[in-house]
Amino acid sequence: MHAITIERPGGPEVLRWTEVADPEPGAGEVLIEVAAAGVNRADALQRQGNYPPPKDAPPYPGMEVSGRIRAVGDGVHGWRAGQEVCALISGGGYAELVTAPAGQVLPVPEGVDLRDAAGLPEVAATVYSNVVDLARLKPGETLLVHGGGSGIGTFAVQLGKALGANVVATARPAKHERLLGLGADRVVDYTSEDFSDGLRADVVLDIMGGSYLKQNIDVLNVGGRLVVIGLQGGRRGELDLGQLLAKRALVAGTTLRARPAAEKAAIMRGVQEGVWPLISQGRIRPVIHSTFPMGDAGRAHELLESNEHFGKILLTAG
């Protein structure tokens, strides 16, 4: 098969479409013939040498795919060759074939194109595990989503509205109208406004980290929950513990890729039960900005790092 290899740590130009050995499904795994793979910020970090894959993962980037099952390993039940699926994986998605733990594989939601389904597993698992499982967002509460125009952001806005929350997002002005169209109640221009000015939220989903820490705490209502899932604004910030105590607030940080397979399988079960029906009902949809042939992964990364996209970027195989 062919896969995208990383020639050396560096920019998008180091990505190469290379012939490599075919993977074989181990016990508890399925082998997927890839139709498409989602492009994520973690893939760019891996390309730069800043986010190595787990030891048991392929060295190729790509943490979510859609496609058809080609074979199943020993001990796999409920899946068979030919089924159309999407999957959350630890790496290796930028390829023609990839293996995935059976517990991290889901059927393509009703009404979603097989290609577009590649843009769902990572964002759905990330948003559901943080906004629903961890932060316990309730109907009538306010959810603040940073980076509203990203793949994570566009999904979080839709899920928040589907759960009955008021949703505020931060984004560049060019993305405001589309975010309002996805259901956001308000969009703040982070390039010219202080998002914390006059805003209060019960749950904050943050991709920035250190540079937003103070403002995020300022925004929280009493009993509020801040969940940090990215560090685009740096690793360090100053936290006023007195303010945190007064608000009886929760600050949590999570990642998805490094979690044990059992935890990921539990998250994916929650996604199938709590999110897939909302997609089938048309209340949430994958937002796809553009697609590139798998061999043009470098161009896809250039677009990702420009922050000009709205929603997901996909790579297509075949």
Side-chain angles (χ1 to χ4, degrees):
M1 72 165 188
H2 284 79
I4 289 291
T5 59
I6 301 172
E7 189 176 58
R8 64 185 184 281
E13 72 280 356
V14 305
L15 299 177
R16 296 282 185 268
W17 188 232
T18 308
E19 188 171 356
V20 299
D22 289 2
E24 295 290 338
E29 294 182 331
V30 301
L31 178 67
I32 299 172
E33 183 177 350
V34 176
V39 177
N40 292 287
R41 190 74 56 175
D43 303 336
L45 292 173
Q46 179 176 336
R47 187 204 73 225
Q48 295 162 6
N50 296 324
Y51 195 16
K55 292 182 180 179
D56 59 348
Y60 326 122
M63 302 193 304
E64 57 183 344
V65 298
S66 62
R68 294 176 179 84
I69 294 177
R70 178 175 286 192
V72 300
D74 292 341
V76 173
H77 303 286
W79 297 113
R80 65 180 186 280
Q83 286 182 297
E84 293 188 346
V85 296
C86 56
L88 177 72
I89 52 179
S90 297
Y94 292 14
E96 293 176 315
L97 296 169
V98 70
T99 59
Q104 294 167 216
V105 178
L106 294 182
V108 173
E110 183 181 347
V112 175
D113 179 80
L114 176 62
R115 182 203 69 178
D116 291 353
L120 288 173
E122 195 271 343
V123 295
T126 297
V127 175
Y128 182 85
S129 63
N130 285 287
V131 172
V132 178
D133 278 350
L134 180 57
R136 303 291 181 185
L137 180 69
K138 302 178 183 64
E141 290 189 323
T142 296
L143 168 67
L144 171 60
V145 178
H146 289 304
S150 67
I152 292 286
T154 54
F155 193 93
V157 166
Q158 294 181 87
L159 180 60
K161 289 306 296 182
L163 295 176
N166 302 306
V167 179
V168 180
T170 60
R172 296 180 180 183
K175 303 179 182 183
H176 287 199
E177 185 174 346
R178 285 174 289 181
L179 282 167
L180 293 170
L182 289 179
D185 298 283
R186 177 185 169 192
V187 186
V188 178
D189 175 12
Y190 69 86
T191 67
S192 64
E193 302 177 57
D194 180 351
F195 70 83
S196 65
D197 187 16
L199 174 63
R200 293 293 177 267
D202 301 287
V203 175
V204 179
L205 185 64
D206 178 50
I207 60 171
M208 296 303 293
S211 64
Y212 274 17
L213 181 58
K214 181 183 183 305
Q215 291 164 290
N216 282 333
I217 299 300
D218 289 344
V219 161
L220 287 180
N221 284 323
V222 172
R225 291 83 75 196
L226 164 62
V227 184
V228 181
I229 60 171
L231 300 173
Q232 294 180 38
R235 300 166 61 95
R236 298 181 183 278
E238 186 170 308
L239 178 61
D240 182 340
L241 292 176
Q243 187 181 24
L244 192 70
L245 292 173
K247 292 193 172 189
R248 302 191 296 279
L250 167 72
V251 179
T254 74
T255 61
L256 181 62
R257 188 182 199 182
R259 294 191 189 210
E263 287 188 21
K264 292 181 184 178
I267 290 170
M268 294 302 275
R269 288 195 298 271
V271 167
Q272 185 171 13
E273 295 171 3
V275 178
W276 256 219
L278 298 174
I279 296 174
S280 298
Q281 295 163 16
R283 299 172 67 187
I284 299 175
R285 60 180 176 84
V287 178
I288 309 301
H289 179 88
S290 56
T291 63
F292 294 85
M294 194 79 73
D296 287 340
R299 288 202 298 136
H301 276 222
E302 289 174 359
L303 176 58
L304 177 76
E305 293 176 324
S306 75
N307 291 321
E308 296 297 330
H309 61 292
F310 184 82
K312 295 289 294 189
I313 302 167
L314 302 181
L315 297 173
T316 56

